[in-house]
Amino acid sequence: MLSWRRDVLVLTPWLAPIVWEGTFSRGILNAQYMQKNLVTGVVTFAVRKHVQFIEGFIRSANKYFLAGYRVNFYLFTDNPEKISHPQMAPENHLFVIPVHNHSRWQDVSTSHMDIINTYIHSQFQYEVDCLYSIDIDVQLLAHIGVEIIDTLVGTLSSWQFTTHHENKAYETRPESQAAIPKGEGDFYYTSSFYGGSVSEVYKLTRDCFKGIMEDRENGIEARWHDESHLNKYVLYHKPMRLPSPEYYWDAELSSPPIIQAKRMCSVHKDS
């Protein structure tokens, strides 16, 4: 890793790199990873009105996500018949998987962990080495390469780097399985982009969904749903690599000067 950036934190207290523009050499990393012949999976969900984002996501991800490497895109949707199969790069493949809809968007969100975990066990572990979950309502704007590859990867939330950071906070109610005691947190991570090795993502999704179900049985819903449970998990199972908010920027926010390259950005939803 390069480290000419002096305006941002580039290493966590547990010595995991935080990936910013200017802190890595993709050429050096490509020379290392091309020999490994890795296959990476990307899981995304397009249910209900989110089908409107499929074309933009697939087109930009096919161009910018791990370009030159083999990538399987797993698209879960409740409208598989409406999916047109776009022209993919030779090394990429798109798999459309039917999934049931839920009446509430919160239930759609929290079901993701269970679905990912189930498919890792039945299918993904045999097809890919690494697996990343990415929200469908994003646009990739620049290359995202092997600098994001590691055993467990958590992306820092863009909200943490603005004056509105209090709007995205940990679940603190002790009765929730997602609760983080005050003073114990280190970073706040987005659930819009996370991943790692198949085995580590399996453990993450298993434990998060277990917490979600225990909360549900007790009549509790964590403050930020699956994202709250993700933050609880990675607090005690530290990510080995942390993409900066340059790798997922929330379109609601204006970006500070430290954001030198927006590689992926959320897109505004139609009402």
Side-chain angles (χ1 to χ4, degrees):
M1 301 284 286
L2 303 174
S3 59
W4 58 257
R5 294 287 297 268
R6 296 289 182 265
D7 56 335
V8 291
L9 186 67
V10 297
L11 208 60
T12 69
W14 59 94
L15 304 182
I18 302 176
V19 187
W20 297 88
E21 175 73 7
T23 62
F24 62 91
S25 168
R26 190 170 290 139
I28 293 174
L29 291 173
N30 280 335
Q32 297 171 350
Y33 278 93
M34 280 295 185
Q35 303 171 13
K36 297 184 178 182
N37 201 29
L38 293 176
V39 182
T40 302
V42 171
V43 174
T44 192
F45 292 82
V47 298
R48 303 169 75 179
K49 292 183 179 180
H50 280 72
V51 296
Q52 65 183 295
F53 302 114
I54 292 174
E55 182 180 352
F57 173 82
I58 294 298
R59 184 178 63 250
S60 63
N62 180 57
K63 179 179 180 180
Y64 288 124
F65 191 83
L66 289 172
Y69 294 86
R70 290 190 291 164
V71 180
N72 289 352
F73 292 94
Y74 299 106
L75 171 62
F76 289 88
T77 181
D78 59 344
N79 282 293
E81 68 282 354
K82 294 184 180 180
I83 308 303
S84 60
H85 285 260
Q87 182 68 39
M88 304 294 287
E91 63 274 11
N92 293 344
H93 295 90
L94 174 62
F95 301 92
V96 178
I97 304 174
V99 67
H100 291 298
N101 194 355
H102 292 269
S103 57
R104 299 191 318 142
W105 72 264
Q106 295 94 332
D107 294 331
V108 172
S109 174
T110 54
S111 70
H112 292 180
M113 294 287 188
D114 182 39
I115 294 170
I116 293 171
N117 187 259
T118 300
Y119 272 84
I120 288 175
H121 184 264
S122 65
Q123 179 179 344
F124 298 160
Q125 65 170 320
Y126 307 110
E127 298 178 351
V128 299
D129 303 292
C130 303
L131 189 67
Y132 290 83
S133 174
I134 305 177
D135 281 356
I136 191 73
D137 54 341
V138 304
Q139 193 88 17
L140 278 73
L141 307 174
H143 286 288
I144 295 176
V146 292
E147 71 274 7
I148 65 160
I149 300 293
D150 219 314
T151 52
L152 185 59
V153 177
T155 304
L156 297 180
S157 171
S158 48
W159 288 81
Q160 189 169 297
F161 293 82
T162 72
T163 56
H164 307 285
H165 58 84
E166 70 281 354
N167 291 350
K168 286 280 188 174
Y170 302 130
E171 174 60 70
T172 57
R173 292 172 296 169
E175 58 269 27
S176 172
Q177 295 298 311
I180 295 176
K182 289 184 179 180
E184 283 198 20
D186 39 49
F187 299 101
Y188 189 87
Y189 301 85
T190 177
S191 61
S192 297
F193 181 29
Y194 66 89
S197 69
V198 170
S199 61
E200 288 300 319
V201 177
Y202 179 81
K203 289 184 282 189
L204 181 154
T205 52
R206 177 197 63 198
D207 287 7
C208 286
F209 187 67
K210 180 182 177 183
I212 290 168
M213 293 307 294
E214 288 185 21
D215 274 6
R216 186 170 296 173
E217 290 172 6
N218 293 320
I220 304 168
E221 195 162 65
R223 180 174 182 177
W224 292 108
H225 316 290
D226 56 330
E227 187 169 273
S228 295
H229 290 274
L230 171 71
N231 273 273
K232 173 67 174 289
Y233 183 88
V234 294
L235 175 60
Y236 300 113
H237 305 81
K238 300 296 189 187
M240 299 308 296
R241 189 170 300 266
L242 288 70
S244 72
E246 293 176 336
Y247 285 80
Y248 176 82
W249 189 260
D250 195 315
E252 291 183 44
L253 305 170
S254 56
S255 54
I258 59 171
I259 304 300
Q260 296 187 1
K262 288 183 185 177
R263 301 188 180 279
M264 182 160 59
C265 191
S266 67
V267 294
H268 291 293
K269 302 174 179 64
D270 294 341
S271 57

